Amino acid sequence: MSTVVRTAVETDCQGILDLIMELAVYEKMEDQVKMKVETLRDDGFGADKYFQCNVAENQENGTSKLIGYVLYYYIYSTWEGKCLYMEDLYVSPEYRGRGVGSKLMGSVCKVAIEKKCARVHFAVLGWNKPSIDYYKRQGAVDLTDVEDWHLFRLTGSAIEKMAAKCDAV
Amino acid sequence: MSTVVRTAVETDCQGILDLIMELAVYEKMEDQVKMKVETLRDDGFGADKYFQCNVAENQENGTSKLIGYVLYYYIYSTWEGKCLYMEDLYVSPEYRGRGVGSKLMGSVCKVAIEKKCARVHFAVLGWNKPSIDYYKRQGAVDLTDVEDWHLFRLTGSAIEKMAAKCDAV
């Protein structure tokens, strides 16, 4: 059995979507997943690219299977310039404990260095102690604990009401 | 006196940087600002665009002055597809209470509707109660309070150590 980490290609989208769903089930939020394989294809491999993705592929008995992925994109800090955001990092439970997650996260950090991004940001659920412990061991800082940053979201009718307040642009 | 909200142009960069600094002072984090006007120009108005920006311009006695800005970019949700992130929303203190902030935030929400982005995300410091109250009145949800999301950051040597764990990609 061997595992390779490589850049995702368009034909990986169904495998990535399966893993996105596995992660959402783990996070107990699978009811929020509205992603479709066509959307993932268009947004990651179409003319406008909204994300980048690396996958971990397992090769065993002549067959190969995606067992993990990391999905990331550029964000922008008005204090430090361009940075990276790691949206998802996931490895299927039966393949954990062999450094696959670290390789995937490492692949994003390599991009951060190459592209001179001062920071890699990501969000973790507070109850997900195994992940938090893992990230802290890698030197990550919990900005919600340390600087009291809260993440906010506007959706649906709130977006529409707000948009109606702007008659320009 | 009249105020217009419009798309930022390259020559606004110095005015935007002055406002970025004002906001950082308000957030008591001005020591973290490493931004230069050249970087802002390259990253917002160069070949690769890492952010978009709208400004509020005040016209009074024949002179005009930037009094607020909103800086935003695309992010990607693996559950809902492309979304927007509002990195900064700021109006100089003496021009508040006239709906300028709502117009700026509204201008981002208009883009969210046009581009079919299901969410507008942003982060607020927990002690910044006036802003939190304002955002909540607009229908925003504090995901850190409601779902316990914590924001994490990796920087410097932690990024380098992590990158060294990946020999591929």
Side-chain angles (χ1 to χ4, degrees), chain B residues 49-101:
Chain B
K49 286 171 182 53
Y50 293 92
F51 65 82
Q52 297 179 70
C53 185
N54 294 329
V55 291
E57 188 172 43
N58 199 51
Q59 281 143 351
E60 199 173 0
N61 303 327
T63 62
S64 70
K65 184 190 168 194
L66 296 192
I67 59 157
Y69 74 106
V70 64
L71 190 143
Y72 66 101
Y73 44 78
Y74 285 101
I75 56 172
Y76 200 78
S77 160
T78 46
W79 301 349
E80 300 211 57
K82 57 181 190 283
C83 298
L84 292 180
Y85 191 87
M86 186 172 71
E87 178 72 23
D88 286 353
L89 171 64
Y90 182 72
V91 176
S92 289
E94 61 269 39
Y95 299 95
R96 288 181 197 162
R98 304 185 214 164
V100 177

XYZ file of all heavy atoms in Angstrom, chain B residues 49-101:
441
model
N -5.619 39.968 -9.388
C -6.346 40.777 -8.407
C -6.724 39.936 -7.196
O -7.480 38.995 -7.312
C -7.583 41.386 -9.061
C -7.195 42.523 -10.005
C -8.319 43.039 -10.841
C -7.823 44.130 -11.775
N -6.648 43.747 -12.610
N -6.163 40.302 -6.039
C -6.396 39.523 -4.833
C -7.530 40.082 -3.979
O -7.914 39.473 -2.992
C -5.102 39.418 -4.013
C -4.053 38.609 -4.721
C -3.108 39.214 -5.543
C -4.043 37.224 -4.611
C -2.163 38.462 -6.215
C -3.097 36.474 -5.290
C -2.167 37.094 -6.090
O -1.241 36.346 -6.766
N -8.027 41.262 -4.318
C -9.155 41.831 -3.566
C -9.901 42.819 -4.451
O -9.405 43.233 -5.507
C -8.676 42.514 -2.289
C -7.806 43.725 -2.509
C -8.368 44.973 -2.790
C -6.430 43.631 -2.441
C -7.569 46.096 -2.993
C -5.621 44.747 -2.640
C -6.193 45.984 -2.922
N -11.090 43.188 -3.997
C -11.857 44.254 -4.622
C -12.190 45.267 -3.523
O -12.226 44.913 -2.342
C -13.119 43.693 -5.256
C -12.780 42.710 -6.378
C -14.006 42.104 -7.022
O -14.754 42.771 -7.717
N -14.209 40.825 -6.758
N -12.406 46.490 -3.916
C -12.589 47.528 -2.910
C -13.555 48.591 -3.416
O -13.499 48.995 -4.580
C -11.220 48.152 -2.602
S -11.224 49.355 -1.271
N -14.466 49.013 -2.555
C -15.311 50.179 -2.829
C -14.999 51.242 -1.787
O -14.667 50.910 -0.644
C -16.790 49.797 -2.773
C -17.171 48.841 -3.881
O -16.612 48.877 -4.968
N -18.102 47.941 -3.594
N -15.096 52.495 -2.207
C -14.783 53.590 -1.275
C -15.962 54.547 -1.145
O -16.810 54.633 -2.036
C -13.538 54.393 -1.738
C -12.278 53.548 -1.608
C -13.710 54.907 -3.158
N -15.997 55.236 -0.002
C -16.956 56.331 0.198
C -16.159 57.621 0.129
O -15.150 57.789 0.832
C -17.642 56.202 1.553
N -16.591 58.523 -0.758
C -15.853 59.767 -0.984
C -16.743 60.949 -0.616
O -17.902 61.014 -1.037
C -15.443 59.857 -2.446
C -14.510 61.011 -2.755
C -13.996 60.915 -4.187
O -14.811 60.602 -5.088
O -12.802 61.141 -4.394
N -16.176 61.821 0.182
C -16.921 62.989 0.633
C -16.518 64.218 -0.177
O -15.331 64.466 -0.375
C -16.617 63.236 2.115
C -17.663 64.101 2.749
O -18.849 63.817 2.616
N -17.242 65.156 3.422
N -17.519 64.948 -0.661
C -17.228 66.164 -1.419
C -17.761 67.362 -0.646
O -18.935 67.398 -0.280
C -17.865 66.071 -2.816
C -17.021 65.199 -3.741
C -17.837 64.346 -4.695
O -19.054 64.271 -4.566
N -17.174 63.706 -5.629
N -16.878 68.291 -0.353
C -17.238 69.427 0.495
C -16.329 70.601 0.134
O -15.106 70.429 0.043
C -17.017 69.021 1.962
C -17.739 69.888 2.966
C -17.617 69.331 4.392
O -16.971 68.276 4.576
O -18.168 69.941 5.308
N -16.903 71.756 -0.062
C -16.128 72.969 -0.370
C -15.133 72.769 -1.521
O -13.988 73.222 -1.447
C -15.362 73.454 0.871
C -16.292 73.707 2.041
O -17.446 74.123 1.846
N -15.829 73.424 3.242
N -15.557 72.036 -2.516
C -14.716 71.865 -3.695
C -13.590 70.854 -3.560
O -12.822 70.665 -4.504
N -13.466 70.217 -2.400
C -12.431 69.185 -2.266
C -13.089 67.836 -1.966
O -14.192 67.786 -1.416
C -11.427 69.500 -1.135
O -12.142 69.535 0.099
C -10.722 70.813 -1.370
N -12.392 66.768 -2.319
C -12.939 65.445 -2.037
C -11.952 64.644 -1.199
O -10.725 64.846 -1.282
C -13.271 64.711 -3.338
O -12.079 64.363 -3.996
N -12.498 63.726 -0.395
C -11.673 62.988 0.562
C -12.303 61.625 0.805
O -13.530 61.525 0.931
C -11.665 63.792 1.880
C -10.788 63.234 2.966
C -11.057 63.970 4.286
C -10.408 63.227 5.440
N -10.888 63.694 6.738
N -11.472 60.585 0.864
C -12.008 59.261 1.187
C -12.315 59.194 2.683
O -11.449 59.494 3.511
C -11.007 58.153 0.822
C -10.662 57.998 -0.658
C -9.910 56.685 -0.882
C -11.890 58.044 -1.547
N -13.528 58.784 3.009
C -13.937 58.735 4.429
C -14.309 57.320 4.870
O -14.602 57.089 6.036
C -15.133 59.674 4.690
C -16.329 59.276 3.798
C -14.726 61.133 4.437
C -17.647 59.742 4.350
N -14.290 56.378 3.926
C -14.602 54.998 4.288
C -14.287 54.056 3.151
O -14.084 54.494 2.013
N -14.202 52.762 3.469
C -13.942 51.753 2.435
C -14.453 50.406 2.895
O -14.636 50.153 4.095
C -12.438 51.667 2.117
C -11.616 50.972 3.180
C -11.118 49.680 3.008
C -11.341 51.613 4.391
C -10.371 49.050 4.003
C -10.601 50.988 5.381
C -10.114 49.713 5.176
O -9.393 49.089 6.154
N -14.691 49.556 1.910
C -14.965 48.152 2.195
C -14.080 47.345 1.252
O -13.982 47.652 0.056
C -16.469 47.816 2.035
C -16.969 47.999 0.602
C -16.773 46.390 2.491
N -13.361 46.366 1.794
C -12.448 45.547 1.001
C -12.911 44.097 1.125
O -13.166 43.613 2.229
C -11.021 45.744 1.511
C -9.911 45.143 0.654
C -8.689 46.053 0.666
C -9.535 43.750 1.115
N -13.054 43.424 -0.016
C -13.631 42.073 0.001
C -13.033 41.212 -1.110
O -12.340 41.714 -1.996
C -15.152 42.156 -0.135
C -15.645 42.695 -1.461
C -16.109 41.840 -2.449
C -15.606 44.065 -1.743
C -16.547 42.320 -3.675
C -16.026 44.547 -2.968
C -16.491 43.681 -3.926
O -16.899 44.167 -5.146
N -13.318 39.908 -1.047
C -12.822 38.964 -2.065
C -13.659 37.685 -1.996
O -14.413 37.478 -1.043
C -11.337 38.660 -1.845
C -10.945 38.412 -0.413
C -11.197 37.189 0.210
C -10.348 39.411 0.351
C -10.844 36.976 1.535
C -10.003 39.206 1.685
C -10.250 37.981 2.260
O -9.919 37.780 3.571
N -13.479 36.858 -3.010
C -14.165 35.565 -3.028
C -13.519 34.594 -2.055
O -12.291 34.561 -1.930
C -14.103 34.932 -4.422
C -15.038 35.562 -5.414
C -14.567 36.471 -6.355
C -16.388 35.253 -5.398
C -15.429 37.058 -7.267
C -17.257 35.836 -6.309
C -16.778 36.740 -7.236
O -17.632 37.316 -8.125
N -14.342 33.813 -1.387
C -13.854 32.642 -0.658
C -14.664 31.459 -1.194
O -15.504 31.639 -2.083
C -14.013 32.805 0.878
C -15.472 33.092 1.255
C -13.091 33.898 1.396
C -15.738 33.072 2.761
N -14.404 30.264 -0.706
C -15.120 29.115 -1.253
C -15.575 28.176 -0.143
O -14.768 27.716 0.671
C -14.247 28.337 -2.246
C -15.087 27.489 -3.165
C -15.753 28.063 -4.239
C -15.264 26.127 -2.930
C -16.561 27.307 -5.063
C -16.070 25.367 -3.765
C -16.717 25.969 -4.822
O -17.528 25.220 -5.644
N -16.872 27.905 -0.127
C -17.426 26.939 0.815
C -17.636 25.616 0.089
O -18.257 25.598 -0.978
C -18.761 27.456 1.348
O -19.510 26.376 1.868
N -17.113 24.533 0.649
C -17.315 23.216 0.009
C -18.754 22.728 0.217
O -19.137 21.698 -0.309
C -16.326 22.173 0.573
O -16.301 22.279 1.994
C -14.936 22.423 0.021
N -19.544 23.480 0.989
C -20.957 23.123 1.174
C -21.869 23.951 0.272
O -22.894 23.477 -0.181
C -21.373 23.344 2.632
C -20.564 22.534 3.602
C -19.693 21.513 3.299
C -20.532 22.663 5.022
N -19.137 21.013 4.447
C -19.635 21.690 5.516
C -21.179 23.512 5.936
C -19.374 21.537 6.879
C -20.928 23.362 7.288
C -20.031 22.388 7.752
N -21.470 25.221 0.011
C -22.367 26.114 -0.729
C -21.735 26.808 -1.935
O -22.367 27.654 -2.550
C -22.919 27.194 0.212
C -23.707 26.609 1.382
C -24.805 27.549 1.829
O -25.655 27.905 0.994
O -24.805 27.919 3.011
N -20.486 26.490 -2.232
C -19.850 27.110 -3.393
C -19.272 28.477 -3.097
O -18.929 28.781 -1.950
N -19.182 29.324 -4.120
C -18.467 30.584 -3.924
C -19.251 31.566 -3.038
O -20.480 31.668 -3.136
C -18.065 31.209 -5.256
C -19.141 31.498 -6.235
C -18.479 32.096 -7.500
C -19.520 32.648 -8.447
N -20.199 31.591 -9.204
N -18.510 32.237 -2.185
C -19.064 33.184 -1.217
C -18.159 34.411 -1.219
O -17.123 34.424 -1.879
C -19.060 32.572 0.188
S -20.076 31.079 0.329
N -18.556 35.440 -0.486
C -17.714 36.626 -0.356
C -17.233 36.775 1.080
O -17.934 36.389 2.019
C -18.485 37.884 -0.767
C -18.848 38.015 -2.249
C -19.612 39.322 -2.479
C -17.611 37.977 -3.149
N -16.049 37.325 1.219
C -15.525 37.644 2.543
C -15.263 39.141 2.610
O -14.555 39.694 1.768
C -14.224 36.884 2.814
C -13.790 36.975 4.252
C -14.254 36.063 5.194
C -12.952 37.992 4.680
C -13.887 36.154 6.531
C -12.577 38.091 6.016
C -13.047 37.165 6.922
O -12.682 37.263 8.253
N -15.877 39.780 3.586
C -15.672 41.212 3.791
C -14.523 41.361 4.792
O -14.700 41.168 5.992
C -16.974 41.829 4.330
C -16.940 43.328 4.442
S -18.569 44.031 4.851
C -18.751 43.515 6.563
N -13.349 41.675 4.288
C -12.152 41.749 5.137
C -12.226 42.972 6.059
O -11.991 42.855 7.255
C -10.904 41.819 4.252
C -9.592 41.947 4.992
C -9.174 40.666 5.704
O -9.633 39.579 5.308
O -8.406 40.760 6.673
N -12.502 44.137 5.484
C -12.578 45.377 6.264
C -13.799 46.183 5.856
O -14.099 46.292 4.653
C -11.363 46.277 5.974
C -10.071 45.783 6.614
O -10.104 44.827 7.394
O -9.020 46.394 6.318
N -14.473 46.749 6.822
C -15.515 47.758 6.580
C -15.215 48.880 7.557
O -15.163 48.649 8.767
C -16.909 47.184 6.856
C -18.051 48.203 6.846
C -18.237 48.825 5.465
C -19.371 47.546 7.277
N -14.979 50.072 7.035
C -14.573 51.164 7.931
C -15.084 52.510 7.431
O -15.030 52.794 6.229
C -13.041 51.212 8.031
C -12.547 52.274 8.972
C -12.697 52.141 10.351
C -11.954 53.444 8.490
C -12.275 53.135 11.225
C -11.521 54.445 9.361
C -11.683 54.280 10.722
O -11.271 55.258 11.583
N -15.563 53.313 8.364
C -15.942 54.705 8.094
C -15.279 55.561 9.177
O -15.349 55.220 10.375
C -17.479 54.893 8.138
C -17.853 56.363 7.949
C -18.157 54.033 7.070
N -14.620 56.644 8.795
C -13.983 57.527 9.770
C -15.020 58.007 10.794
O -16.157 58.313 10.426
C -13.382 58.752 9.069
O -12.253 58.380 8.319
N -14.627 58.051 12.077
C -15.578 58.338 13.162
C -16.463 59.563 12.921
O -17.670 59.513 13.178
C -14.678 58.546 14.385
C -13.451 57.756 14.074
C -13.270 57.810 12.592
N -15.883 60.652 12.412
C -16.673 61.887 12.273
C -17.739 61.811 11.189
O -18.568 62.713 11.076
C -15.757 63.107 12.064
C -14.882 63.063 10.820
C -13.508 62.444 11.046
O -13.407 61.445 11.800
O -12.535 62.942 10.453
N -17.722 60.743 10.376
C -18.721 60.618 9.303
C -19.713 59.482 9.559
O -20.443 59.087 8.660
C -18.017 60.415 7.955
C -17.127 61.581 7.582
C -15.771 61.561 7.871
C -17.665 62.711 6.967
C -14.956 62.640 7.551
C -16.855 63.795 6.640
C -15.498 63.752 6.934
O -14.704 64.812 6.616
N -19.706 58.961 10.799
C -20.615 57.841 11.097
C -22.034 58.313 11.391
O -22.261 59.500 11.598
C -20.063 57.038 12.288
C -18.838 56.253 11.872
C -18.266 55.409 13.003
N -16.898 55.022 12.632
C -15.993 54.590 13.491
N -16.274 54.448 14.761
N -14.778 54.273 13.059
N -22.969 57.363 11.393
C -24.356 57.677 11.759
C -25.168 58.265 10.620
O -26.256 58.801 10.832
N -24.639 58.162 9.388
C -25.395 58.687 8.233
C -25.618 57.615 7.175
O -25.897 57.919 6.019
C -24.615 59.809 7.554
C -24.234 60.931 8.461
C -23.589 62.015 7.602
N -22.554 62.707 8.316
C -21.642 63.468 7.756
N -21.632 63.613 6.436
N -20.730 64.074 8.471
N -25.379 56.378 7.554
C -25.661 55.283 6.620
C -24.556 54.982 5.629
O -24.759 54.190 4.701
N -23.366 55.600 5.807
C -22.269 55.357 4.856
C -21.783 53.906 4.955
O -21.576 53.230 3.931
C -21.097 56.348 5.081
C -19.946 56.041 4.130
C -21.567 57.783 4.902
N -21.634 53.400 6.176
C -21.206 52.014 6.381
C -22.190 51.028 5.760
O -21.789 50.050 5.128
